Amino acid sequence: MLDIKITAALTKKEKPADNILGFGRYFTDHMFVMDYDLGEGWHDPRIIPYGPIALDPSAMVFHYAQELFEGLKAYRCEDGHIQLFRPDKNIERMNNTCRRMCVPEVPADDALQAIKALVDYEKDWVPHSEGTSLYIRPFIIATEPQLGVHPSKKYQFIIILSPVGSYYAGGLDPVKICIERKYVRCVKGGTGEAKVGGNYAASLLGQKEAEARGYAQVLWLDGIERKYIDEVGAMNVFFVIDKTVITPSLADGNILPGVTRRSCIELLKKWGYNVEERKISIDEVIEAHKNGKLTESFGTGTAAVISPVGEYNDNGNVMIINDGKIGPVSQKLYDNLTALQWGKIEDDMGWIVKVN
Ligand code: COI
């Protein structure tokens, strides 16, 4: 059990209106910080005013990118209470990433206590309007001032909060995605399944080039054969082919084990859908589209929730999916997942954790 010291901000910010939130642009009045020193472990858990952090310019995070992050959300229910969706799964993934990045793990109970304490302290920041939530961004950075390449002896675990609306400007409108044939996001044995900033830094150029052509994001193919579908970067990806829901398997360690991805698979199986987690090649998708068997595609993620894909562009060859409209599987998942998250239906999956 952490003994969290609280220092209240002297002035409070004005809260933005729900209709201008967007994603990740506004931050609450406080943040959680905890330090780690080799030999001492994690210590000094505290909630302090949100603001810049002072780090030595030689702090290892700036040079060797030893850092990792998570993303989850807090939801305001109609009766006013605030709840989290499967925070245990984010904490488990965070600690898996810690092991991959040689970062000391944060005890799961302490991480959950820290998240709940900060969200509860900032509960007035959880927005009220439909489709809005408080995005929770825990992250760990290597802070040892040292230029030798080795795991840092000092870290900070920080949690910040951001009231958010939709990740994509168009909300639930289907997004357009380019199939990435030039760059790769990761290779087998790399950090593809870890939630580290480096994966996202490596994705920026592909995304920038796709955006210049009017596309929201890119679909990453495996880094070795350039053939199998990995993920979209900000979301995992699903295809409905011949009534079977197919998503790339986690077996190669290339893709992020998304909490929303896993929840969709569990819900679909519960509803009796045929779900396959397996290697799926881009050629299979193109063929299925040609034969009229590809009826839907959608992305899943904490930020993106369920995001239908209306179009894939493969070097100029355009595949329109379901007439560019949201399909029945995506709609059913969206409706049920969001109803669970906002407490509108009973949680028969045991996924909800109340904050207050
Ligand atoms: C999330 O969905 O929480 C993510 O971390 C994806 C993205 C915003 C980078």
Side-chain angles (χ1 to χ4, degrees):
M1 183 87 175
L2 297 176
D3 180 16
I4 303 174
K5 299 266 172 329
I6 297 181
T7 307
L10 293 177
T11 54
K12 301 276 173 66
K13 297 173 204 164
E14 200 175 316
K15 296 184 180 57
D18 288 359
N19 62 348
I20 59 157
L21 289 176
F23 183 83
R25 295 207 298 258
Y26 303 95
F27 297 94
T28 69
D29 292 311
H30 298 86
M31 60 187 184
F32 173 89
V33 182
M34 180 160 73
D35 301 310
Y36 177 94
D37 285 87
L38 193 67
E40 198 180 347
W42 290 106
H43 62 90
D44 284 323
R46 54 205 185 270
I47 289 174
I48 58 173
Y50 181 96
I53 49 177
L55 287 179
D56 197 292
S58 62
M60 294 179 77
V61 64
F62 296 134
H63 306 275
Y64 309 125
Q66 198 192 6
E67 72 84 49
L68 55 101
F69 70 97
E70 268 303 323
L72 65 162
K73 282 173 172 172
Y75 307 86
R76 181 181 295 282
C77 300
E78 257 155 34
D79 65 4
H81 84 259
I82 311 294
Q83 59 186 31
L84 307 172
F85 182 72
R86 309 189 84 177
D88 51 312
K89 294 290 169 246
N90 289 91
I91 293 167
E92 189 182 302
R93 186 175 64 187
M94 181 174 85
N95 280 328
N96 290 341
T97 306
C98 283
R99 284 193 291 280
R100 180 64 179 84
M101 299 305 284
C102 301
V103 169
E105 292 174 42
V106 181
D109 290 348
D110 292 350
L112 183 60
Q113 187 194 341
I115 290 169
K116 284 168 107 175
L118 183 64
V119 171
D120 195 31
Y121 195 64
E122 298 283 66
K123 58 178 172 287
D124 292 348
W125 278 90
V126 184
H128 291 73
S129 306
E130 187 158 348
T132 62
S133 54
L134 188 67
Y135 186 76
I136 304 166
R137 171 55 62 88
F139 61 104
I140 302 179
I141 50 174
T143 54
E144 187 189 352
Q146 222 272 51
L147 294 185
V149 180
H150 65 75
S152 174
K153 297 187 176 72
K154 295 162 80 70
Y155 299 88
Q156 280 198 319
F157 174 44
I158 302 176
I159 308 172
I160 55 174
L161 305 174
S162 173
V164 297
S166 296
Y167 186 69
Y168 296 109
L172 199 53
D173 290 347
V175 288
K176 290 163 58 176
I177 289 184
C178 274
I179 294 163
E180 179 60 68
R181 299 279 188 177
K182 187 160 141 202
Y183 306 111
V184 297
R185 175 181 171 272
C186 75
V187 292
K188 194 169 176 172
T191 56
E193 66 186 349
K195 201 152 176 70
V196 297
N199 290 343
Y200 296 81
S203 77
L204 294 176
L205 186 55
Q207 177 171 330
K208 188 175 150 195
E209 291 179 8
E211 278 173 2
R213 297 166 59 201
Y215 288 80
Q217 291 199 344
V218 304
L219 180 69
W220 296 104
L221 304 181
D222 80 274
I224 295 174
E225 295 183 69
R226 308 282 189 105
K227 178 173 167 189
Y228 295 104
I229 293 167
D230 278 351
E231 57 159 82
V232 168
M235 42 189 205
N236 294 117
V237 70
F238 287 70
F239 302 88
V240 184
I241 298 178
D242 229 357
K243 298 204 170 65
T244 296
V245 187
I246 306 165
T247 193
S249 97
L250 303 177
D252 281 345
N254 284 354
I255 69 172
L256 191 81
V259 178
T260 313
R261 170 191 181 279
R262 178 185 180 136
S263 305
C264 287
I265 292 171
E266 289 172 29
L267 283 175
L268 288 164
K269 286 188 173 164
K270 183 179 90 164
W271 295 331
Y273 282 85
N274 188 20
V275 183
E276 292 178 1
E277 285 180 76
R278 62 165 168 87
K279 274 179 183 283
I280 174 164
S281 70
I282 190 63
D283 292 343
E284 180 180 344
V285 170
I286 293 169
E287 192 60 23
H289 180 260
K290 254 190 218 143
N291 300 337
K293 291 184 173 171
L294 173 64
T295 48
E296 272 182 70
S297 179
F298 54 92
T300 63
T302 298
V305 196
I306 305 292
S307 190
V309 179
E311 179 181 326
Y312 284 108
N313 184 318
D314 183 23
N315 275 339
N317 296 321
V318 171
M319 290 190 276
I320 304 285
I321 302 172
N322 196 38
D323 282 335
K325 298 198 210 79
I326 185 167
V329 179
S330 325
Q331 186 74 58
K332 183 168 177 171
L333 280 170
Y334 180 84
D335 291 346
N336 277 271
L337 200 64
T338 54
L340 261 171
Q341 290 169 333
W342 273 273
K344 291 182 181 155
I345 55 173
E346 204 201 320
D347 171 26
D348 59 350
M349 306 297 277
W351 288 346
I352 295 300
V353 173
K354 290 193 174 160
V355 167
N356 53 15

